Amino acid sequence: MAIFFLVVGFEIKRELVYGKLSSVTKASFPVIATVGGMALPAVIFTIFNYKTRLEIGVGIPLSTDIAFAIGVFSILKSRLNKSLEVFLLTLAVVDDLLSIVIIGIFYSSNIRILGIMASIVIIIILLIVRKYERTNHMAVYVFLGIALWCTVFYSGIHSTLSGVILAFCMPIYDEKGRDKDLSYRLQHKLEGITNFVILPLFAFANTGIRLIGSFDFSQDYPLMIGIIAGLVLGKPLGIMTFGYIGNLIKIAKKPAGSSWYDVFVVSVIAGIGFTMSLFISEIAFKGANVEISASKISILIAAVISTILSVILAMMKKKANMR
């Protein structure tokens, strides 16, 4: 998963430097919408699980799965404003970035100062290499990346964050400098491994639902309701509310040519949380098989509901336009 986060880190950094997040005007609406799309699910989940042993799962319903969300949008593209694909992609990228921060802050334990200090030393070396290493030797970054993963793992901070840190420490270039952009070449080499090996392996290993012992719904139904309601209801309501307010007070601007109905359909698609939600459920309830299974069932149910709702809403729009 550190490799997956490395690829995501490259995408995020490129968007921040040259892409859709490179200016306040471009980033404001999806960023504000993303904050709402994470805040409201957290509130909904907390309402059902406040001051219980399940409260630690608050990070589960916060994320949007980029691959599945874009896949559903592609199917519905003919029925929606095509410019909103950029909005959804940006939303998912910012969502991933904030989820990474949440994992680092709330899902790390047994912090070791020595490991953190060693990680900082390697980060400094990476930054020095980035400044003075002119030949862009991939081996140098691979060696330092593995060393960074080891030190972050030892520090007690979740080791997958080493992938994002490495991505942010590597130089990137615009289209004109693409021939010397090591991060671009590395990203494209790793995308195939990520998409066809790592993520399928992760899904195969982590979507299995193990019902060991008695599955006590009286104990776990608040967790399940919190996740499903957070993703299916909290995501779209948070995105729409924060996006509308931001547009109303003119600190953000709705994508040109798109209606609020289109934005709402996309916000429903954003309720498909899969990879990151499964990942957080594993680390939030490590060793608690019943809670992990309950979380996985809820994530899958929410994904199915969000997909069906988005298809229905898109079809309703098409019918309305035909009248």
Side-chain angles (χ1 to χ4, degrees):
M1 289 303 289
I3 296 174
F4 166 74
F5 278 94
L6 174 63
V7 174
V8 171
F10 285 141
E11 293 175 353
I12 292 171
K13 185 177 180 180
R14 194 162 281 108
E15 294 296 338
L16 286 169
V17 178
Y18 298 113
K20 308 172 190 71
L21 305 178
S22 59
S23 70
V24 174
T25 304
K26 292 179 181 178
S28 56
F29 187 79
V31 169
I32 290 171
T34 301
V35 172
M38 298 183 81
L40 200 55
V43 170
I44 290 173
F45 183 91
T46 303
I47 289 173
F48 288 99
N49 297 278
Y50 184 60
K51 287 187 177 180
T52 70
R53 61 187 176 81
L54 304 173
E55 192 175 23
I56 188 64
V58 67
I60 298 172
L62 306 189
S63 303
T64 297
D65 189 283
I66 295 178
F68 278 99
I70 294 299
V72 172
F73 185 91
S74 298
I75 295 172
L76 302 176
K77 186 182 290 187
S78 62
R79 301 174 182 270
L80 299 172
N81 189 308
K82 294 181 181 179
S83 67
L84 285 174
E85 185 173 9
V86 175
F87 166 67
L88 179 60
L89 181 60
T90 308
L91 188 84
V93 167
V94 177
D95 193 300
D96 273 356
L97 180 59
L98 294 177
S99 295
I100 289 164
V101 173
I102 289 169
I103 290 171
I105 295 174
F106 296 104
Y107 295 105
S108 298
S109 59
N110 301 320
I111 303 299
R112 298 184 181 94
I113 299 300
L114 182 61
I116 293 176
M117 292 173 64
S119 299
I120 292 172
V121 170
I122 294 175
I123 291 170
I124 292 172
I125 294 172
L126 277 165
L127 294 174
I128 293 172
V129 168
R130 183 178 72 177
K131 185 171 183 179
Y132 294 105
E133 167 44 62
R134 301 298 181 187
T135 56
N136 270 347
H137 285 305
M138 188 178 296
V140 175
Y141 287 103
V142 170
F143 174 78
L144 290 173
I146 293 172
L148 179 63
W149 183 91
C150 292
T151 56
V152 173
F153 178 82
Y154 178 75
S155 72
I157 298 172
H158 208 278
S159 56
T160 51
L161 297 184
S162 61
V164 179
I165 296 170
L166 178 60
F168 273 70
C169 287
M170 291 180 67
I172 65 167
Y173 300 88
D174 59 13
E175 294 291 338
K176 295 179 181 178
R178 192 50 56 82
D179 59 324
K180 59 180 179 179
D181 193 336
L182 177 62
S183 67
Y184 182 79
R185 297 202 307 271
L186 187 58
Q187 177 183 344
H188 279 264
K189 285 183 178 181
L190 292 175
E191 276 181 341
I193 298 173
T194 300
N195 294 332
F196 298 109
V197 179
I198 293 174
L199 289 181
L201 185 61
F202 173 84
F204 178 77
N206 292 289
T207 53
I209 298 167
R210 300 168 61 197
L211 301 181
I212 298 175
S214 60
F215 194 70
D216 190 350
F217 282 97
S218 66
Q219 295 284 329
D220 297 301
Y221 82 88
L223 171 66
M224 300 181 74
I225 293 175
I227 293 172
I228 296 171
L231 285 167
V232 176
L233 300 177
K235 270 287 183 183
L237 291 178
I239 290 169
M240 289 297 294
T241 302
F242 276 57
Y244 182 79
I245 293 174
N247 188 79
L248 187 66
I249 62 178
K250 301 187 186 305
I251 61 172
K253 189 174 181 181
K254 177 169 63 70
S258 60
S259 67
W260 283 112
Y261 188 90
D262 285 333
V263 176
F264 178 63
V265 177
V266 171
S267 70
V268 172
I269 296 174
I272 302 173
F274 192 74
T275 304
M276 196 72 79
S277 295
L278 288 172
F279 184 63
I280 293 176
S281 68
E282 287 283 343
I283 58 179
F285 297 114
K286 187 176 181 179
N289 292 317
V290 174
E291 282 68 34
I292 290 174
S293 294
S295 299
K296 290 175 180 179
I297 291 171
S298 305
I299 293 164
L300 293 172
I301 290 173
V304 171
I305 293 174
S306 294
T307 301
I308 293 172
L309 281 176
S310 62
V311 171
I312 292 172
L313 290 169
M315 291 177 67
M316 287 173 62
K317 181 199 173 187
K318 188 78 171 180
K319 287 181 179 180
N321 291 341
M322 292 173 64
R323 290 175 182 173

